[in-house]
Amino acid sequence: MNDTPSLPEGYEISTDPARIDVDRVHRWLSTDAYWALDRPRELQERAIEGSLNFGVYETVSGDQVAYARVVTDGATFGWLCDVYVDRSARGRGLGTAFVAAVCDHLQPLGLRRVLLATQDAHGVYEKLGFKGLDRPDRWMALGRE
């Protein structure tokens, strides 16, 4: 990406799954994320295990302040999901810089398409090059909403 926003001072990104604060991520998503309300802990753990995970951490304390994961085959397709920034860390440009860093991390894979779904953050993702599907009539889904 050109002009990739950088994380604010005092934060770092890691893809190390051992650093994920699973309790915190589960609490965030199951209690405060409209798409994952009441998600069982065991289901969250399985999702983490089957994904490429990203965390943002305070450099001094090491506390996790954001999470995202990508479900991908590593070659052609990726689904960016469970993007969450702790309420205490919002409003500093952290979310935009975080998603930009995730996209930068995926770029060398040469994925043909990275999808995501959002109810209310279109503007954030559009700044990073995401746009609505050109042909949504070609897409279908199996499962429950």
Side-chain angles (χ1 to χ4, degrees):
M1 286 184 76
N2 297 334
D3 302 323
T4 300
S6 57
L7 286 179
E9 181 96 18
Y11 296 98
E12 63 184 356
I13 293 178
S14 175
T15 58
D16 180 357
R19 288 190 70 185
I20 297 169
D21 184 337
V22 178
D23 289 331
R24 183 173 290 191
V25 168
H26 177 252
R27 184 178 67 250
W28 285 337
L29 297 178
S30 68
T31 65
D32 194 41
Y34 66 84
W35 65 90
L37 293 175
D38 299 320
R39 180 182 287 171
R41 165 74 185 246
E42 181 272 333
L43 185 62
Q44 185 62 54
E45 289 173 0
R46 285 184 19 226
I48 289 169
E49 289 171 12
S51 301
L52 174 58
N53 298 277
F54 298 83
V56 175
Y57 304 87
E58 293 180 345
T59 53
V60 174
S61 69
D63 289 342
Q64 186 170 355
V65 297
Y67 175 76
R69 65 189 181 91
V70 177
V71 181
T72 183
D73 60 8
T76 63
F77 178 81
W79 175 41
L80 174 61
C81 53
D82 286 347
V83 178
Y84 188 91
V85 176
D86 186 81
R87 288 185 176 274
S88 68
R90 293 180 188 173
R92 301 178 194 149
L94 190 61
T96 301
F98 181 34
V99 173
V102 170
C103 292
D104 285 349
H105 184 91
L106 297 174
Q107 192 168 6
L109 299 177
L111 303 179
R112 181 173 177 208
R113 183 171 284 116
V114 176
L115 292 180
L116 63 83
T118 184
Q119 179 177 300
D120 56 3
H122 294 79
V124 170
Y125 295 108
E126 286 169 349
K127 286 188 237 178
L128 300 170
F130 285 88
K131 61 181 185 166
L133 296 174
D134 290 334
R135 296 290 313 265
D137 57 310
R138 291 185 180 182
W139 292 85
M140 299 178 75
L142 174 65
R144 40 179 205 211
E145 285 293 315

